[in-house]
Each structure stands twice: as structure tokens, then as C-alpha cells.
Amino acid sequence: MSARRNFAANLRRLCLTRGSISAASRQLGIHRAQMEKYLTGKSEPNAETRRTICLFFGVDEAQIYQTPDDAGFGERVDLGHFNVLDEGRKLVQPLLREPAASIATGLYYLYFTMPGHPGKLVCALMAIGRRGAASLFRRLTHRSDGYAGQRSQAFGDHRGLVVERWGAFLFMGINACGVHEPSLLRLHWLNTTDAMLGGYAMVHTPNGWSFASIIMQPVNSRATLMETVRASRSRSADNALIPGLIHELIARQSANLIDSLRRELGR
């Protein structure tokens, strides 16, 4: 089988892990007709599109060109009578009965570093709400990388639970698309005049797990929803639109993280 055919077969399997080919096409921002050409081997994406596809599915380019048997994407598992949804509900149910976390509902900006991209700082939009006694969140991020500054589709779409433990907030969620997005966050209140939280996150990347420094602050109540959505994007770390205090706190969090890792490794 040719490399292009390998790519087509592996891409089809990866798309089906997102529910359907149409769903994967929408999330990637690739027209469905163009995606069909990739899936049938009639054409092959350019280098930039291949990079986007690999980042989206969390794979490297060499892997997606392997024979389907070697790549092992989207292998079907016979679950028999095992009901995944029922089992998942059993695991999550105890967390849903926990007391609500002591963090106000509303919109927040979440600033975080991006592993592998030291010159980038991402601003995401975080919404915190309640369902019964549980604190829930949804975090949306898009990016402006691409030709002529055109934005791609959503780069990150996290949904999950907020649990409070030992003076810290744990944000546990699943990303519906993309990689390089924080998955497990641990934040605590910072000693600042404004209500701000700081901490770290574990991030899944094509090269494995990494860490990111996080700063979170409430969105100004006077800001419109359109303004907040436009602000949720990746920027260069020295961008003047990012508040100076955010730069300072992110740098401090990163330095503290490095010191902590050095202490742990030095034991």
C-alpha cells in the first residue's frame, strides 16, 4: 500500500474516533468534500494541513503514514454486554454529589503556556456553572495561526468538573478536540489585590505528557461576550495586549514549577 493510501486509511480511522467524519471535518475546519478527497487518496493535504491534522488527533506525521495495522488507529473493541455509559456514570456520580467548589460562577480568562511553543501564551475562555451541587466548567480556545491570520476552528473544547481539595481547585476535563491543551488543572488563590488564581496543569502532547503554567482571572463584568470570545486565542508571549501582571505571574509560576521539579528529581 502506498504512503498516500496509508494516510487515507489512517485518517479515516482517526476521524471515526470523533464520532463521524463530518464531525471531525467541522472541528478541523476542513470542508467535507475536501476531506473526502483525503480519505479516498485522491489528494493529499499540504504540510500545514497535515500538521494541523496531526496536532488535532495527537499523533505524529510518521505514525499516520504507517500501514494501518502498524499504526493501530481506531481499533474496534468488542465490549460485549459492557455498557460504557452506565459504567462511566457510576464513576462520575460520587463527584457530582460533592459540595460545590467555593469559586463564583461566571466567565473567566485562563492564561497558559503551551508546551513546545515557548514564544506562545494562550488565553482561553472559561465558564463555570452549577448543576445541582456540582461545579462544572467549559473552556473554549481557538487560535489565529494560519494564512493571513485566519482563525481555525475551535482548538480546544474542554468540559468537566471542579472539585475543591486542601485549599486548591482541581479542574478535571476531557478535550473534545486538539492537543497541547491543559487537561488536569490545580489552581489556588494568589496573594494579589485582584481575585486571581494560579497553578499548573498536565498537558497531553504528541510527544507525551508535559506541564503548563496557569493564571486565571474573572472577565470584566463590563466586557461583552463578543469581546471575551475574541480575546480567547494564542498570542506571542510579548504581545502588548496581554496585561503586564499576567506576564509577571506566569513567569513566577514557571520558575516555581522548575524549582519544584528540580527538588523532586534531586531527592
Side-chain angles (χ1 to χ4, degrees):
M1 186 180 288
S2 68
R4 179 180 290 188
R5 291 292 182 182
N6 288 344
F7 179 90
N10 288 326
L11 180 59
R12 182 176 294 276
R13 289 189 176 189
L14 288 168
C15 286
L16 292 177
T17 66
R18 300 295 170 149
S20 69
I21 292 170
S22 295
S25 298
R26 285 195 303 272
Q27 293 170 358
L28 278 163
I30 298 175
H31 193 278
R32 182 66 176 83
Q34 184 61 48
M35 178 66 83
E36 192 61 31
K37 292 180 180 178
Y38 299 154
L39 296 173
T40 56
K42 292 180 179 179
S43 67
E44 192 174 353
N46 60 30
E48 178 64 21
T49 303
R50 287 199 305 272
R51 188 180 75 88
T52 299
I53 290 171
C54 290
L55 283 174
F56 176 76
F57 289 113
V59 302
D60 57 51
E61 193 166 326
Q63 189 180 11
I64 205 171
Y65 277 101
Q66 291 179 346
T67 61
D69 289 340
D70 291 335
F73 297 137
E75 295 293 341
R76 294 185 178 275
V77 178
D78 183 8
L79 297 175
H81 298 292
F82 184 81
N83 190 314
V84 177
L85 291 179
D86 286 346
E87 294 300 320
R89 290 189 186 99
K90 291 177 185 178
L91 293 173
V92 174
Q93 202 63 39
L95 293 175
L96 294 175
R97 292 194 294 265
E98 294 239 349
S102 61
I103 184 171
T105 60
L107 296 178
Y108 293 79
Y109 285 133
L110 191 80
Y111 296 90
F112 59 89
T113 55
M114 186 184 295
H117 299 270
K120 291 284 187 182
L121 191 62
V122 179
C123 176
L125 181 61
M126 176 91 84
I128 296 179
R130 300 273 194 271
R131 179 176 296 175
S135 297
L136 306 178
F137 76 89
R138 184 176 183 183
R139 188 180 76 242
L140 294 171
T141 317
H142 62 244
R143 59 178 181 174
S144 58
D145 300 339
Y147 298 105
Q150 294 178 351
R151 292 175 182 169
S152 69
Q153 296 293 321
F155 187 45
D157 185 355
H158 268 74
R159 307 176 193 214
L161 292 164
V162 187
V163 178
E164 191 168 1
R165 287 285 190 280
W166 305 294
F169 300 102
L170 302 178
F171 293 76
M172 300 173 288
I174 297 175
N175 197 9
C177 57
V179 291
H180 289 295
E181 281 276 322
S183 295
L184 176 63
L185 285 68
R186 185 182 187 277
L187 304 178
H188 60 273
W189 292 111
L190 298 177
N191 186 21
T192 56
T193 54
D194 297 325
M196 303 179 75
L197 297 105
Y200 314 105
M202 292 187 68
V203 185
H204 181 244
T205 77
N207 297 318
W209 287 98
S210 187
F211 296 92
S213 297
I214 305 282
I215 297 294
M216 181 172 161
Q217 67 173 164
V219 170
N220 190 311
S221 59
R222 294 189 297 273
T224 66
L225 182 59
M226 184 61 70
E227 289 172 339
T228 61
V229 171
R230 286 175 177 170
S232 62
R233 55 186 294 184
S234 64
R235 302 180 187 276
S236 59
D238 57 355
N239 191 291
L241 294 177
I242 300 175
L245 181 59
I246 298 296
H247 284 293
E248 179 183 337
L249 292 174
I250 283 284
R252 189 184 305 170
Q253 292 291 131
S254 298
N256 290 341
L257 175 60
I258 292 172
D259 288 343
S260 297
L261 291 174
R262 284 174 176 168
R263 286 196 297 270
E264 289 296 323
L265 294 173
R267 287 184 177 182

